[in-house]
Amino acid sequence: MRNIGPSRLYASGMRLVPSPTARMTVAGMLAALAASVLPASTAHAAEPQAPGSFTGYGFDTCVAPSQTVMDRWNLSSQYSAIGIYISGNSRYCGDAYQPNLSPAWVADNAAIGWRFVPIHVGYQAPCFKNNPDSRVQKKRMSRTTSTARSQATSDANEAVAALKKYGFPAGSFTYLDIEYYSRSDTSCDAAVRQFVDAFDERVHALGFRTGLYSSGSAAIASINAIRTASWLDKPDHMWIAWTNRIADTDGGPYLADSAWNHHERIHQYHNGVNETYGGKTLNIDKDFLDVGKGSVRPAEQQPCGHPMTYQTWPGLTLGSRADQVWVLECRLKAVGQLQTVDGYLSTGTIAAINRFRASLGWSQNSRTSREFWTALLSAGSQPRVLKYGDVGEDVYRLQRALRAAGEDITSYGKFNAQTAAAVRRYRLARDLAGYRTATAGTWVNLQKGKLTK
């Protein structure tokens, strides 16, 4: 986390470390291209997800970035979720230092697919050590159980009020930030446990959910150790600060493999990193999320009653009854070039092939070449952006088209690391920036039947 000013302690060797989201579909090429440069609009408002169901990359940074930065990072970075500091009396980046953060900012970014990790930085452990050079001296909770619990309830009320202020619906998460402290002070550790329990109890009573952020060896390990205690109101998520630079949700020695293992984890795996996308640089902490139901690949749609995905897209000739004829005819029907789908490549189907070729300005030679398949399989509306962790029919469509264009795609329906690498190769082959995201430029080339060089 980046909220205590010039320095902070982390669990990895207790070393001192310098402080440092379904995507909107746009109809038509022109709208997609415009969306890549225009700011988001609340006219396309979507209920903000905090954080919803997702498996993929996120980041947190002290000050919520400008809309220009958010737009550019959305299109060109792997990140789909952002941690935002919305409440707490110990925030380094409190309201006075947040020129961009507002309900409208949340709504605009929800509309373009961003997910959110709302963070509450309130009372810290009684033995927490403030950095004397920081402009924010964090408040400490009491060692007295009754007082610590009262402070936690107050913090919970503030956190939920902030969630509502920013437009997050009931059931959304607030993540309690407990910075590093030494568990060797047992009364301090006991106070933290009581505070977490009372905070969770109150947030849950108000209809929202909780996550606990902390260094692995601090509050994460402490709550993990008592996770089966009958009195404990457990956090719904665990957000482990363990800077091992591995993008997964492993809790290492701090969190049992059997605990919070049903899409209930976030891992902050690298921090204080400068990254640049779309010409805009941020200093961030890098996170990997597996939350909600995760990014679950949906079953493939079969609009014509037959599978739509194959590993080969052959040249077809008059009279063919290959399985791919069903896909050919189904897609030709979807783009308005054919009325009847029967799995038989007739003269009517040949005529539809030529009509589609003519729509692209190609010769009407009746051929289903690789270029033809690439264009046909990708035809349709253009998602504003697809990236790691996205799922759904648009991802299937992208992957089929990339396969036809010559990319090595073997799994479908979920935008995974294989797909990200294929998108990057295809973009570079088509003289586009080497992002791992499928943006308007990717779709324009696919829909023109452009192959990997």
Side-chain angles (χ1 to χ4, degrees), residues 20 32 43 46 79 99 117 135 153 187 226 245 247-248 281 316 374 387 422:
Y79 301 109
V117 185
R135 62 174 165 77
T153 299
S187 67
I226 59 167
R245 303 190 181 187
D248 59 19
T281 300
L316 300 172
T374 300
K387 62 175 67 176

Side-chain angles (χ1 to χ4, degrees), residues 4-306:
I4 64 172
S7 63
R8 59 200 169 164
L9 285 169
Y10 273 90
S12 290
M14 291 178 56
R15 61 189 180 88
L16 198 62
V17 180
S19 178
T21 137
R23 302 200 166 268
M24 180 176 65
T25 298
V26 181
M29 183 190 310
L30 293 178
L33 291 171
S36 70
V37 295
L38 295 177
S41 168
T42 52
H44 302 286
E47 189 170 69
Q49 298 189 67
S53 292
F54 178 66
T55 304
Y57 294 92
F59 73 93
D60 55 276
T61 189
C62 192
V63 176
S66 71
Q67 193 59 56
T68 297
V69 175
M70 293 297 290
D71 286 340
R72 293 190 184 182
W73 274 52
N74 183 45
L75 290 170
S76 55
S77 79
Q78 65 186 339
Y79 301 109
S80 295
I82 178 172
I84 52 175
Y85 293 88
I86 66 169
S87 57
N89 57 26
S90 294
R91 282 175 294 166
Y92 189 76
C93 292
D95 292 343
Y97 298 93
Q98 294 281 3
N100 304 311
L101 187 60
S102 68
W105 182 93
V106 171
D108 285 346
N109 285 296
I112 59 174
W114 282 104
R115 300 172 180 275
F116 305 92
V117 185
I119 304 163
H120 176 87
V121 191
Y123 289 98
Q124 297 298 305
C127 52
F128 171 77
K129 294 181 180 180
N130 271 299
N131 179 349
D133 295 327
S134 174
R135 62 174 165 77
V136 173
Q137 296 297 296
K138 295 185 181 301
K139 298 182 183 297
R140 301 183 184 93
M141 67 187 72
S142 174
R143 289 178 185 265
T144 301
T145 296
S146 60
T147 304
R149 293 186 69 86
S150 177
Q151 291 168 331
T153 299
S154 176
D155 266 16
N157 289 335
E158 180 187 351
V160 168
L163 286 172
K164 293 178 178 179
K165 168 187 172 181
Y166 288 106
F168 294 107
S172 296
F173 278 73
T174 179
Y175 290 82
L176 175 64
D177 180 331
I178 300 293
E179 295 291 318
Y180 174 79
Y181 65 92
S182 174
R183 291 188 63 211
S184 62
D185 185 331
T186 55
S187 67
C188 176
D189 196 37
V192 169
R193 290 172 169 178
Q194 291 292 330
F195 189 95
V196 170
D197 174 62
F199 182 89
D200 293 349
E201 183 179 79
R202 180 58 178 164
V203 171
H204 290 154
L206 293 172
F208 290 82
R209 305 186 75 187
T210 65
L212 174 63
Y213 166 87
S214 189
S215 296
S217 64
I220 298 296
S222 180
I223 298 302
N224 175 68
I226 59 167
R227 64 186 182 276
T228 60
S230 60
W231 60 267
L232 177 67
D233 197 327
K234 294 195 301 184
D236 299 291
H237 287 173
M238 292 293 245
W239 185 356
I240 311 112
W242 179 32
T243 55
N244 63 351
R245 303 190 181 187
I246 300 174
D248 59 19
T249 54
D250 182 17
Y254 313 112
L255 188 60
D257 291 343
S258 60
W260 289 275
N261 62 349
H262 297 291
H263 309 293
E264 297 162 322
R265 296 186 179 194
I266 304 175
H267 177 197
Q268 186 180 91
Y269 63 93
H270 199 186
N271 53 42
V273 181
N274 284 328
E275 292 199 354
T276 302
Y277 294 97
K280 299 295 182 180
T281 300
L282 292 175
N283 187 259
I284 65 170
D285 294 338
K286 301 168 72 170
D287 305 298
F288 192 83
L289 298 82
D290 184 19
V291 293
K293 296 180 180 179
S295 293
V296 180
R297 181 183 69 181
E300 179 188 45
Q301 294 180 17
Q302 297 185 9
C304 298
H306 288 264

Side-chain angles (χ1 to χ4, degrees), residues 23 25 381-383 386 391-399 443:
R23 302 200 166 268
T25 298
S381 61
Q382 297 177 357
L386 293 175
V391 295
E393 190 56 30
D394 284 333
V395 177
Y396 275 107
R397 185 159 56 102
L398 172 70
Q399 292 165 329
W443 288 98

Side-chain angles (χ1 to χ4, degrees), residues 429-442:
R430 303 314 315 166
D431 298 321
L432 299 172
Y435 303 142
R436 296 174 181 268
T437 59
T439 61
T442 312

